[in-house]
Amino acid sequence: MKKIILFADTGIDDSIALTYALKNPEVDLIGVVSGYGNIDREKAYRNVEYLLELAGRTDIPVIAGATRPLSGEEPAFFPEIHGIEGLGPINPPIPEERYANRTNFSKLFNLIKNNRNEVTIVNVGRCTSLAIAHYLSPEVMEDVKETYVMGGAFMEPGNATEVAEANFYGDPIAANFVCQNVINLTIIPLDVTRDALLTPGVVNLIDTRSDSSLEEIIKPILDFYYEYYQQEEPGIPGTPQHDLAALMAALDIDGLYEYKKREVKVEYQGKIADGKSIADFRPGSSNCFGPNCTRIALKINQDVFVSNVLEILTNHR
Ligand code: RIB
Ligand code: CA
């Protein structure tokens, strides 16, 4: 069983990743850090509270992440993709006092200190909160076993801009810091998450087998997400589960990904290419070694992905 702390900007695909984590017996979810990104920090925090309540797991600590990128700029949010509240058509009935004005970052360090060398971090939002954790307490963060990040686009176009993926684009300074400084790092970029698709047929199957209030939200939020993708990329057979794909990488599922190892940089000083992830894949380039070397997923087996998701999201745990 893996001890996981999920860093998210809890919109739709983050919520599916969280739901999967709660339902997978291989995952011991010991905390969630929820910051700005798809929506603002307060809504992201509230959405986690809501999902944990539906799952009957309010024992899992929620930590308030960052409210804006390291540049200090106002973040842009994405209601057209994730809905105004971040959960498509759902407006979570959580009272404001449970999510407003939280400052409890020290809880994160206590979780890591109490589980030395056992914690896997999976970051599926902007990299801001993760970078801040490393800035605030590099000693404690040394005790993290491994880190997985959903972000970047290497051999593929971006989704936020022509060249940049949304998590790296949303805070390129933090993304570059994380890629250059966090050891035992694996990146799950758009190159694979674009193909981590759940079709309406699979979503309907999950829905017919759902038997809890947590499972019942899967179809309405993914139907909302599907509508957006149909407008954006007409004919796409399903919705890309970017964040779920990153979480699943941490579980070492047989045959799910193929990786290469490269040093990774993220453009943060440019004008037209901010957030672009850069690694050397020129002919003749090879896997790197050493602390600055990052594992990058470049191929996904879609059959393995779908069958594992079906197995976990339809179990009656
Ligand atoms: O580019 C996809 C990523 O951006 C996902 O993490 C999604 O939730 C958004 O944050
Ligand atoms: Ca996300």
Side-chain angles (χ1 to χ4, degrees), residues 7-11 13-14 38 82 124-126 150 167 242-243:
F7 282 58
D9 55 333
T10 318
D13 59 327
D14 309 72
N38 295 318
H82 296 270
V124 297
R126 313 311 186 233
M150 189 283 128
N167 285 339
H242 305 289
D243 296 346

Side-chain angles (χ1 to χ4, degrees), residues 115-309:
N115 296 281
R116 287 180 111 185
N117 301 319
E118 285 184 327
V119 172
T120 296
I121 287 180
V122 180
N123 189 102
V124 297
R126 313 311 186 233
C127 293
T128 323
S129 308
L130 181 57
I132 288 173
H134 281 268
Y135 292 165
L136 279 175
S137 192
E139 322 77 57
V140 173
M141 295 307 281
E142 261 178 29
D143 290 337
V144 171
K145 187 174 150 212
E146 54 185 1
T147 302
Y148 289 77
V149 166
M150 189 283 128
F154 291 87
M155 258 78 95
E156 287 269 321
N159 57 358
T161 72
E162 299 92 319
V163 295
E165 179 281 331
N167 285 339
F168 282 11
Y169 182 72
D171 190 343
I173 301 174
N176 186 57
F177 172 82
V178 166
C179 291
Q180 296 263 290
N181 294 283
V182 173
I183 55 166
N184 291 335
L185 177 68
T186 300
I187 294 181
I188 310 300
L190 277 186
D191 305 62
V192 290
T193 67
R194 256 209 182 100
D195 292 331
L197 292 174
L198 290 186
T199 61
V202 170
V203 173
N204 288 338
L205 190 57
I206 294 168
D207 190 54
T208 53
R209 297 197 193 159
S210 77
D211 76 339
S212 72
S213 28
L214 179 65
E215 291 159 23
E216 276 162 19
I217 67 158
I218 295 173
K219 182 172 159 57
I221 67 174
L222 285 185
D223 283 354
F224 183 98
Y225 200 45
Y226 184 73
E227 287 290 308
Y228 165 78
Y229 269 99
Q230 282 308 313
Q231 280 164 29
E232 209 50 26
E233 297 180 31
I236 188 171
T239 50
Q241 299 301 317
H242 305 289
D243 296 346
L244 176 55
L247 176 71
M248 286 166 72
L251 302 179
D252 305 321
I253 298 163
D254 246 10
L256 181 58
Y257 291 119
E258 287 176 28
Y259 297 97
K260 288 190 175 167
K261 288 181 140 190
R262 295 289 188 276
E263 289 188 13
V264 176
K265 301 171 198 135
V266 179
E267 173 63 79
Y268 65 95
Q269 290 172 316
K271 285 230 178 311
I272 54 174
D274 269 347
K276 179 173 171 48
S277 48
I278 300 162
D280 190 354
F281 290 110
R282 288 175 292 181
S285 65
S286 54
N287 280 339
C288 56
F289 300 93
N292 273 348
C293 203
T294 296
R295 201 163 64 130
I296 307 167
L298 290 170
K299 237 188 188 178
I300 182 171
N301 183 320
Q302 288 172 299
D303 294 337
V304 173
F305 174 77
V306 173
S307 68
N308 180 279
V309 174

Side-chain angles (χ1 to χ4, degrees), residues 25-79:
E26 300 294 311
V27 176
D28 179 9
L29 186 67
I30 63 167
V32 182
V33 179
S34 202
Y36 82 96
N38 295 318
I39 41 180
D40 69 31
R41 194 269 301 268
E42 314 309 323
K43 285 179 177 170
Y45 189 107
R46 178 206 56 190
N47 291 353
V48 178
E49 286 275 335
Y50 176 58
L51 294 168
L52 294 180
E53 187 166 292
L54 291 181
R57 292 301 313 274
T58 47
D59 56 301
I60 297 173
V62 189
I63 294 136
T67 57
R68 58 174 64 211
L70 295 181
S71 65
E73 283 164 20
E74 282 290 331
F77 303 124
F78 296 89

